[in-house]
Amino acid sequence: MKNTVKITDGITWVGASDRRLALFENIFPLTDGVAYNAYIVRGEKIALLDTADSSVVHQYLENVESELDGREPDYLIINHMEPDHCSLVADLMARWPKMQAVGTAKVPTLIKQFFGADISDRFTAVTDGDSLDLGGRTLHFVTTPMVHWPEVMVTYDDRTKTLFSADAFGSFGAHHGGIFDVDHFKNPAFEGEARRYYTNIVGKYGPQVLAALKKASALDIEYICPLHGPVWHDKISWTLEKHAAWASYTPETRGALVVYGSMYGNTASVAARVAREIAEKSGCEVKLMDASGTDKSYLVSEAFRLSHIVFAAPTYNMGLYPPVREFIDDLEALWVRGRTAAVIENGSWSPASGKIMREKIAALKDFTLLEPTLTIRGASVDESAINAFCDAVAASLGA
Ligand code: FEO
């Protein structure tokens, strides 16, 4: 059954949602699937903008065929070469032998590497300032390397002021009642999923996203059509504002994320007490999360949102409890910076977690480490030490 949506004059969404996928990139848990957006733009000539993941190939092809109504598309615009959008490129080039492909210069090599197809004789490489006249409308191309692969570009339709933004402005989550931002905002989980997508998938490339936002600011934009998540129209200022914060690693909220690891519940118990006292003393939001029971993508998302992070972990195998170590490693890998941190260590006969956490935090960019470290010995902790620790974090939060 075809399932297409008209976005605006001559632009139609022809994508599909995968509601069965459990792990995006085989890493990140999906609770509500993911949308693979693709588009058709019609002038006198017809352009397809990106394709889709192989998991939705039948829906995608049905949508495209219904819109083409027997015509052959003239162009396939390849904004992004990651296989969740490009798995069908070689098939479509074979299906429509006159169709020309358009993308940045790196695209043919990537297609060859991933799909073994040589499209170089039907490919036009474009770069900043280049455009494509479809007859009645012109597509303009803007390179946005590393958002989030090196070959990425975005495409701007001057007739409708529509930006096809590749991965930028994307989100986890399938489409339900509609594909537009106002439809997705009816889901209370949407904002968190948009943040979790950005921070984990694109989060490492903040400087490149800022450069892309700068280029986009020169454009008059009425629609943003990403490859995942909703089509932006009514909430464009919301997504631009959020991406400016995320890309610059600016906390959205003054508050503390308390992430703990705990084998027998002792570190967890202290973390819970500390979380409550910091909240009481500071009046700020405090979020308490178990590093063992929570997928790291959620921890990372909250680390982007909040200004302070309290790390609490026991010593394990003379080292740092692995779930907390992996969380800090993720912060480093994603270049998270500029947070204020505090440490709760636990160890009995040979405590090591505090020293390791302090060293790892010192390696994170522009992190400020508060004193004192709070020390737990098994299940024993000094009341006055808890008070001093919470006072220090609360004071830093502005209490
Ligand atoms: Fe959904 Fe970077 O691809």
XYZ file of all heavy atoms in Angstrom, residues 24 80 82 84-85 148 167 228, ligand 1:
79
model
N 19.719 0.553 16.609
C 20.181 1.412 15.526
C 21.701 1.313 15.458
O 22.388 1.422 16.478
C 19.744 2.854 15.813
C 20.001 3.812 14.692
C 19.155 3.848 13.596
C 21.067 4.687 14.734
C 19.381 4.744 12.552
C 21.302 5.582 13.700
C 20.446 5.608 12.609
N 23.810 11.718 1.391
C 24.560 10.981 2.411
C 24.678 9.527 1.967
O 23.701 8.921 1.533
C 23.811 11.095 3.744
C 24.492 10.458 4.912
N 25.838 10.150 4.942
C 24.002 10.073 6.127
C 26.134 9.611 6.114
N 25.045 9.541 6.850
N 25.658 6.818 3.829
C 25.601 5.727 4.806
C 24.549 4.718 4.333
O 23.497 5.092 3.799
C 25.264 6.269 6.199
C 25.516 5.234 7.269
C 25.753 5.836 8.664
O 25.585 7.051 8.830
O 26.099 5.049 9.565
N 22.155 3.097 5.531
C 20.732 3.187 5.889
C 19.968 4.139 4.974
O 18.740 4.197 5.037
C 20.526 3.540 7.364
C 21.199 4.826 7.793
O 22.163 5.232 7.140
O 20.746 5.425 8.790
N 20.692 4.862 4.122
C 20.020 5.723 3.135
C 20.392 5.363 1.711
O 19.762 5.822 0.773
C 20.374 7.190 3.402
C 20.143 7.566 4.822
N 18.890 7.623 5.375
C 21.009 7.827 5.826
C 18.995 7.921 6.666
N 20.261 8.046 6.965
N 27.087 13.258 9.086
C 28.161 12.873 9.983
C 29.188 11.959 9.305
O 29.956 11.254 9.986
C 27.544 12.243 11.222
C 27.226 10.783 11.250
N 26.225 10.152 10.614
C 27.868 9.814 11.934
C 26.204 8.881 10.895
N 27.181 8.637 11.698
N 21.565 13.864 7.698
C 21.361 13.424 9.087
C 21.062 14.580 10.040
O 20.538 14.353 11.140
C 22.617 12.708 9.593
C 22.620 11.225 9.250
O 21.563 10.699 8.857
O 23.674 10.598 9.389
N 16.067 11.231 8.992
C 15.350 10.530 10.068
C 14.473 11.552 10.796
O 14.785 12.744 10.805
C 16.320 9.946 11.104
C 17.307 8.961 10.574
N 16.959 7.700 10.153
C 18.654 9.045 10.415
C 18.038 7.049 9.768
N 19.083 7.845 9.892
Fe 21.147 7.696 9.036
Fe 24.532 8.870 8.993
O 22.937 7.930 8.495
